[in-house]
């Protein structure tokens, strides 16, 4: 099992550019989430999904879109990057039957200039 | 005020010391998670508990539901324990996690 994988590991964007952060898991987990981690603020939920075809907003969804066409993949799209989106992004997955124990991807460090 | 508060924010210890990190929360929960984030950035789940106490090696996690408080203890600390320890709670009403800001632990040899 690869667990949760994320690509890319690092990315630099200019303001206004768009891009997609990829996340995939091979554990057949129903729940997948995207978080951002900023200094002094802890992890904050951007969007989450409870299964293929179902997504919902978290605490800080503005400027991001998600879709969940398969159980395995949960990409995060930045529509028009802004410097405020400079952060480290983590994807995580879990299974309700396992008490939602969280499995995290390695993270993507994004800088927007 | 954050729904999940951790203390201390930073902790420096000497190798071999007994360490305690605290987590207090202000909402009803169905579970509490302790996570570890190493300097390389990866996050791993250490414990998930809804009552009592769990032990894994030198790590012990306890929770007191009535007092809305959990502690993470590390016995015989080692420099490789240096990491950020994060407390997160799952509210009774949903599946989402709410995170504390983390405790930066440094264990010196």
């Amino acid at each position: 099992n690869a667990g949760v994988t994320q690509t890319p590991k690092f990315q630099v964007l200019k303001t206004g550019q768009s891009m997609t952060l990829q996340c995939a898991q091979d554990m057949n987990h129903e729940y997948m989430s995207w978080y951002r981690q900023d200094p002094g603020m802890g992890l904050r939920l951007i969007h989450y999904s409870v299964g293929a075809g179902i997504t919902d907003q978290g605490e800080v969804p503005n400027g991001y879109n998600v879709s969940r066409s398969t159980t395995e993949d949960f990409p995060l799209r930045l529509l028009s990057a802004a410097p405020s989106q400079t952060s480290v992004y983590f994807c995580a997955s879990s299974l309700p039957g396992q008490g939602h124990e969280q499995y995290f991807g390695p993270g993507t460090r994004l800088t927007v200039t | 005020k954050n729904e999940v508060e951790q203390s201390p924010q930073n902790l420096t210890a000497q190798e071999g010391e007994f360490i305690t990190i605290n987590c207090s929360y202000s909402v009803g929960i169905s579970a509490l998670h302790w996570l570890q984030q190493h300097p390389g950035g990866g996050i791993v789940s250490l414990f998930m508990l809804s009552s009592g106490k769990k032990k894994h090696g030198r790590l012990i996690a306890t929770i007191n539901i009535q007092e809305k408080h959990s502690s993470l203890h590390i016995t015989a600390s080692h420099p490789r324990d240096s990491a950020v320890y994060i407390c997160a709670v799952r509210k009774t009403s949903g599946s989402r996690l709410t995170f504390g800001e983390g405790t930066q632990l440094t264990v010196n040899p």
Side-chain angles (χ1 to χ4, degrees):
Chain A
N1 277 356
V4 181
T5 58
Q6 286 183 240
T7 55
K9 284 201 164 79
F10 301 94
Q11 182 71 50
V12 179
L13 291 178
K14 290 190 182 341
T15 297
Q17 287 185 316
S18 62
M19 79 159 295
T20 299
L21 307 185
Q22 301 291 346
C23 175
Q25 52 90 11
D26 61 358
M27 298 173 283
N28 206 29
H29 283 176
E30 296 168 41
Y31 282 62
M32 295 185 75
S33 306
W34 275 103
Y35 298 96
R36 58 179 289 173
Q37 186 178 40
D38 302 292
M41 300 194 73
L43 287 154
R44 291 183 292 166
L45 182 65
I46 305 170
H47 285 283
Y48 67 103
S49 168
V50 300
I54 307 168
T55 63
D56 207 347
Q57 296 181 349
E59 301 170 65
V60 288
N62 292 342
Y64 307 95
N65 270 358
V66 292
S67 59
R68 184 101 179 267
S69 54
T70 67
T71 300
E72 293 78 21
D73 299 298
F74 191 42
L76 178 73
R77 294 183 194 86
L78 279 70
L79 309 171
S80 176
S84 61
Q85 294 178 304
T86 294
S87 187
V88 181
Y89 292 84
F90 288 95
C91 178
S93 72
S94 63
L95 204 53
Q98 292 175 0
H100 283 294
E101 181 178 0
Q102 298 283 297
Y103 292 80
F104 285 84
T108 295
R109 186 173 294 275
L110 175 68
T111 302
V112 183
T113 61
Chain B
K1 192 176 188 305
N2 292 342
E3 292 177 327
V4 180
E5 298 272 356
Q6 286 185 236
S7 63
Q9 281 189 319
N10 294 283
L11 181 56
T12 300
Q14 289 301 119
E15 184 173 356
E17 286 184 359
F18 180 84
I19 288 161
T20 296
I21 299 170
N22 297 298
C23 176
S24 296
Y25 53 92
S26 57
V27 293
I29 69 168
S30 58
L32 183 142
H33 299 247
W34 280 104
L35 310 168
Q36 181 190 55
Q37 184 172 27
H38 271 284
I43 302 173
V44 296
S45 177
L46 295 175
F47 294 103
M48 186 174 55
L49 62 167
S50 54
S51 64
K53 178 175 163 178
K54 285 191 176 180
K55 185 174 190 289
H56 182 70
R58 295 180 295 105
L59 272 59
I60 303 165
T62 64
I63 188 168
N64 184 317
I65 297 292
Q66 284 73 31
E67 294 187 4
K68 290 187 163 59
H69 181 268
S70 174
S71 293
L72 177 68
H73 304 287
I74 305 176
T75 61
S77 59
H78 190 276
R80 65 174 174 267
D81 297 324
S82 297
V84 176
Y85 292 84
I86 301 169
C87 172
V89 301
R90 185 174 308 283
K91 295 183 192 177
T92 316
S93 55
S95 60
R96 295 154 54 164
L97 289 180
T98 301
F99 295 82
E101 292 183 17
T103 295
Q104 173 70 62
L105 171 66
T106 304
V107 181
N108 293 319

